[in-house]
Structures are given as structure tokens and as C-alpha cells.
Amino acid sequence: AHNALRQCCDGQDPPQVQLDTDVGHRVCLRIDPEFLAAVPFDELWTGSLRSTVIPAVAPLGERWTWQQRGWKNEEELVEHLRRCLVRGLATVVRRQTAAEAEQVAGRLRQHGLVAEVVAEVEDGTDEDEVVFSAPDPWCPEFPKGARIRVKESARDKMPTQFDDYRAVGVVIRQVLVTRRPPGEPTAPPQSQLHVGFYFPRFRSLPFLPITDVERALDADLLQPGIKVCVRPGREPTYGWGNVQGSDVGAVHNVRPDGVVCVFFPSEKGLWSA
């Protein structure tokens, strides 16, 4: 385990702890369940996730114990992640002040992970009681394959590397997220429709409520056979290659991750954007 989590005081008198009535926030980590279905959790944890999560939970130089982050030890955190990440959502730290939770979430986002701060309910329940289900039928406004843009109002829910809110993504699934309203442990659970999506260069993105996305109807016009050119003032995601701004090409196909493959006479192969 990280040294900062193994020992708090190093033989010195422990620091005085001030009671904080704001302790009631957790940081949730979101990862695409389809990605987790393809990569075993143990491989993901030891290969990349641990080296990102542990320093975010307890940076070097700071004195924290596992108990102060809401866990008995690292093994309890790992078991929780193993059980809950398969649904796309798991807690990293619990029972934090709002400021502490934002610091942890910010460190996770700096490494490209999707993290959000959630207020805990009074009875201490967490996302273990969140239910994910597939709507039947799908909401017709956001069918599978629909082109969308993320609204800038959802910026705090997206990775820091995602900075182009004119970019177009593709809907891959719809999910009903059912939970009790925060702070109302006796209230009946409520359901909210979320969508999952891919963007070029981004495969692991959070599910967002449909209020945080909008249809990109202009992008729906990009179908195989349509003639296109690069929009003036835009830098192609994967570079220009041999294509000039005045060149006209034909759409070959639109990939599930939102990448548009175009045939340009100046390119030997398909050009992607």
C-alpha cells in the first residue's frame, strides 16, 4: 500500500482533528462497462488503475490513513472496485468534505479518468444501492447510432482532456439509473435516463443524463456517399495528411466510435476525421 496510507503519525503526536460537519461527500469513478468486459479487473488494477488511483487518494507528502478515506485498508477498496466497476460506477473515497473530495476528483481527472463528487445520503448508503437497467423500449430521441454533442454545462462531469464541445459523438447505449434522492433516505427511488457514447479519441466516458447532451442533427447528414470537405477554421482530429482545405471527398463509412472515414483522391487510403 501507499506509504501515506500505511502510517499517519510516524511516531509523532497526531495532529489535532477539527470536527467538520461537511464530511458527507464521496468521489465516484466511472469506466465504460464494455471496456471492463474486455479487460479483467485484476489486469486493469495492477497494470494501470492502481498507479493512478492510489496517488490520487493519498498524494506523497500528505498524511492520510485508509480510515480517513472511508476504507479499512486497500484490500477493501479493491474489493469494492471489483464488485461495482462492472456496472460502470464505483466509489474511490467516502465521507470527505466537499473540498477534500474535489481535490481527489481533480487528481483523477488529471490522469484522464472520469470522476465526480457525490453528496452521500444521511443513512450512509452509497452507489451499491444504485440500480442500472436498460430501458425497454429505448427513448426514441437518442437512438443507438445517433450523433450527439455534449453541452458545455456538463464540463465538470467530463475528463479534463475533453475540451472540444463542438465535437460529435455516437450514442452506443441507454441506461436507466435508479437511486434515492440525495439526503432523502426514506424517499422512493427515482430513475433518470442516461446515455453512453463514444467520441473520436475517447472510448471511456461517463454516462450522462439526457439533459446534458443534444442531438447533432447536422452530423446525421454525414452518411456513406455524401460529398464533404474539411470545415474552414477546423483542425482535423488526426491531421491533414495529403488533404487540402479545398479538396472534396466522399464519406465511406461512419465508425461506431464516431470517426468518419472519407475517400479523398489525394489519399492512398481512407482519411479519418
Side-chain angles (χ1 to χ4, degrees), residues 229-273:
C229 61
V230 180
R231 286 183 177 178
R234 296 300 300 273
E235 186 69 22
T237 302
Y238 301 104
W240 285 93
N242 295 319
V243 174
Q244 304 294 321
S246 59
D247 290 351
V248 175
V251 174
H252 180 268
N253 69 302
V254 180
R255 293 183 354 200
D257 60 358
V259 173
V260 180
C261 299
V262 183
F263 171 76
F264 280 103
S266 57
E267 286 284 322
K268 292 182 179 180
L270 291 175
W271 185 86
S272 298

Side-chain angles (χ1 to χ4, degrees), residues 137-150:
W138 271 42
C139 170
E141 185 180 357
F142 294 97
K144 189 171 185 178
R147 318 284 175 77
I148 62 165
R149 291 186 175 93
V150 176

